[in-house]
Amino acid sequence: MYDVQKWTSGLWRLVKRYREPVVVQTLRSAAAATVAYVIALRLSPEPAPLTAPLTALLVVQVTFFATLTNGIRRVNSVVAGVLVAIAFSVLVGLTWWSLALLIVASLAVGHLVRVDEYVAEVAISAMLVLGVTTVGFTAWARIVETLIGAVVGTACNLLLPPPVWVDEAGRSVEDLARRVRQLMLRMGEEAADRIPWQQAAARLHEARRLDHDIVRVDAALRQAEDSLRLNPRVREGLLHRVVLRTGLDTLEICTVVLRVLARSFTDLAKARGSEELFPSRIGETVEQLLSEIADAVVSFAVLVTTDLSENAESAESRLTAELHTAAGTRDRLAELLKEEIRKDWANWQLMGAVLTEATRIIDELNTEHRTRRLLEELDRVSQEQRAKLPRMTRLRERLGVQEELWNRAGFGERSR
């Protein structure tokens, strides 16, 4: 009885997750490979035409844009490999030295026809075809199976639209913001303590490791951007791409400034030796300031990943309030530092750097700065699209799509 309940609950969790991109992509890939194999059994002369489901599996990528580009490149790679194999079978046949020449020639042809990541597929197809006696028969079968797999993979994306990875990218942006927040909170807690410089240096290493997190978020964002291209289910894809991209750019700048701040803490800890990193009142204010900025970083991430206008307005109001509070704490810290520097000039540069770096993060998260950045990026991307696709741009302008996009973004009222 317990096993049945456990199995049922597991099945129910899977059913509830059926809309998640990973589950959708798994089902689409399995369906495309199966359909390609069934069709190839009827059309291919091979008894087990596994090239067709393999091609369909590789062609059905996570985005429709990638499916089109991968399908074309994969078909080109297989056809090029088959042609190279036919030429070698006519001229020299299969020997150890001709195999070496075949691989070199196939890889060269792969680069020549620009199949990108499928360069090795050219050599693989050539070796498989050359390794059989009935070259013409096998070559034709492989081409047919490849075409079947490519067509089925592309048709699968038309009938079963690929998942949109915007939510996944948004979650990765929020996770990055929360990691930045945790590091800021730890640095703030240590600001009022007597810590060795090695402990401050450990925070510096943590700040440097945020670069790896940014790389992972950038990869998720690129996947989301590709999923919005040529996707019939998505409207305002340009706006989604620009909002997420500019949001990640801002967080990246914040992590760079945080790394500089951690460096200032490390140098200050070395300079002060056994003394506290900051005097007690200053240390408490630094802790409060970093805590408020850390909360604002998370609110900023929530703002750039929120779709609904009501939630976006709420997130923007919360971010504005948090930045206003942080700016007040920053001003109070400036007064305290001014008094401290009058008493002791020894470390005024490092203490002033802490104030400068905190101000830089506050300015980067400012909503007005974000709006200007969004407008500039939208203008830049729109100009690039008009230059690449002038006819499409003129058609969109006639339909008023661009004006509607700006109005839905909420910039028409705010930018005036």
Side-chain angles (χ1 to χ4, degrees):
M1 182 66 179
Y2 174 76
D3 293 337
V4 174
Q5 292 178 347
K6 184 177 180 181
W7 182 84
T8 304
S9 62
L11 181 61
W12 176 245
R13 285 195 300 269
L14 180 62
V15 170
K16 288 194 296 184
R17 294 182 56 190
Y18 81 100
R19 288 185 179 274
E20 293 189 7
V22 174
V23 178
V24 173
Q25 180 60 25
T26 301
L27 296 177
R28 290 172 63 252
S29 299
T34 304
V35 172
Y37 181 74
V38 171
I39 296 176
L41 282 175
R42 297 179 176 274
L43 300 180
S44 175
E46 290 285 341
L50 295 178
T51 302
L54 175 62
T55 303
L57 191 62
L58 294 175
V59 168
V60 179
Q61 301 296 319
V62 293
T63 67
F64 185 72
F65 177 77
T67 297
L68 291 178
T69 55
N70 277 272
I72 295 172
R73 288 199 298 269
R74 181 164 174 80
V75 170
N76 289 342
S77 66
V78 172
V79 173
V82 169
L83 294 178
V84 171
I86 293 175
F88 267 75
S89 66
V90 173
L91 297 176
V92 294
L94 179 60
T95 61
W96 66 269
W97 57 268
S98 65
L99 178 63
L101 291 177
L102 175 72
I103 295 174
V104 172
S106 300
L107 295 178
V109 169
H111 288 289
L112 186 63
V113 298
R114 298 180 180 181
V115 293
D116 297 337
E117 69 269 25
Y118 292 120
V119 169
E121 181 69 21
V122 180
I124 294 173
S125 298
M127 285 188 293
L128 290 176
V129 173
L130 188 62
V132 298
T133 54
T134 55
V135 175
F137 179 82
T138 304
W140 168 249
R142 186 163 177 79
I143 292 177
V144 169
E145 293 170 19
T146 302
L147 290 174
I148 292 173
V151 171
V152 170
T154 304
C156 181
N157 263 5
L158 292 175
L159 300 176
L160 302 174
V164 178
W165 295 82
V166 173
D167 291 340
E168 295 290 328
R171 281 193 286 269
S172 65
V173 170
E174 293 183 14
D175 290 342
L176 173 62
R178 290 188 175 90
R179 285 191 288 270
V180 172
R181 178 180 181 274
Q182 291 299 322
L183 179 56
M184 280 189 176
L185 292 178
R186 286 194 295 270
M187 291 175 59
E189 292 172 356
E190 296 171 355
D193 294 336
R194 185 179 293 104
I195 62 172
W197 69 267
Q198 291 88 347
Q199 186 173 345
R203 299 292 170 256
L204 176 59
H205 290 307
E206 289 184 32
R208 288 171 176 167
R209 285 197 294 270
L210 288 174
D211 290 343
H212 303 291
D213 297 325
I214 291 176
V215 172
R216 288 193 289 269
V217 176
D218 181 72
L221 188 52
R222 289 180 183 275
Q223 186 180 55
E225 290 172 341
D226 284 345
S227 70
L228 296 173
R229 296 178 181 176
L230 304 178
N231 196 323
R233 298 192 307 168
V234 178
R235 299 184 64 183
E236 304 177 359
L238 172 61
L239 181 61
H240 285 297
R241 297 203 307 269
V242 172
V243 168
L244 287 176
R245 176 58 63 183
T246 54
L248 177 59
D249 291 342
T250 299
L251 288 179
E252 185 174 3
I253 294 173
C254 291
T255 58
V256 172
V257 178
L258 181 60
R259 186 164 65 242
V260 177
L261 180 63
R263 182 71 199 187
S264 299
F265 276 21
T266 304
D267 293 341
L268 188 59
K270 289 181 180 180
R272 296 182 67 85
S274 59
E275 299 181 14
E276 292 179 343
L277 190 61
F278 293 97
S280 58
R281 289 180 59 197
I282 295 179
E284 292 173 359
T285 307
V286 170
E287 180 180 5
Q288 180 181 352
L289 176 60
L290 291 183
S291 176
E292 292 168 353
I293 294 177
D295 293 337
V297 169
V298 175
S299 297
F300 175 83
V302 173
L303 174 62
V304 300
T305 56
T306 300
D307 292 333
L308 298 179
S309 58
E310 295 181 358
N311 293 335
E313 291 178 0
S314 175
E316 184 173 351
S317 300
R318 184 170 60 252
L319 174 61
T320 302
E322 291 172 347
L323 290 176
H324 180 74
T325 302
T329 306
R330 184 267 320 273
D331 295 339
R332 189 167 70 253
L333 176 62
E335 294 296 329
L336 294 174
L337 288 175
K338 186 186 299 183
E339 295 177 2
E340 179 64 23
I341 290 173
R342 289 172 182 171
K343 300 176 185 177
D344 184 7
W345 283 74
N347 301 306
W348 69 271
Q349 289 180 319
L350 293 174
M351 289 188 177
V354 171
L355 188 65
T356 301
E357 289 142 13
T359 301
R360 177 65 186 277
I361 297 178
I362 293 175
D363 291 341
E364 285 295 330
L365 298 176
N366 186 273
T367 53
E368 294 182 359
H369 176 79
R370 168 182 173 269
T371 301
R372 289 195 303 270
R373 178 78 177 88
L374 276 173
L375 293 175
E376 292 172 357
E377 189 66 15
L378 281 170
D379 287 339
R380 186 189 66 80
V381 175
S382 298
Q383 290 175 3
E384 290 182 354
Q385 288 186 346
R386 284 195 294 269
K388 292 180 179 178
L389 302 171
R391 295 181 180 177
M392 183 65 69
T393 302
R394 287 194 295 269
L395 178 61
R396 292 183 62 185
E397 289 177 350
R398 291 175 183 174
L399 295 176
V401 175
Q402 192 171 16
E403 182 179 356
E404 181 183 356
L405 179 65
W406 284 69
N407 291 335
R408 291 192 178 188
F411 299 136
E413 297 282 339
R414 300 176 189 172
S415 59
R416 292 192 186 99

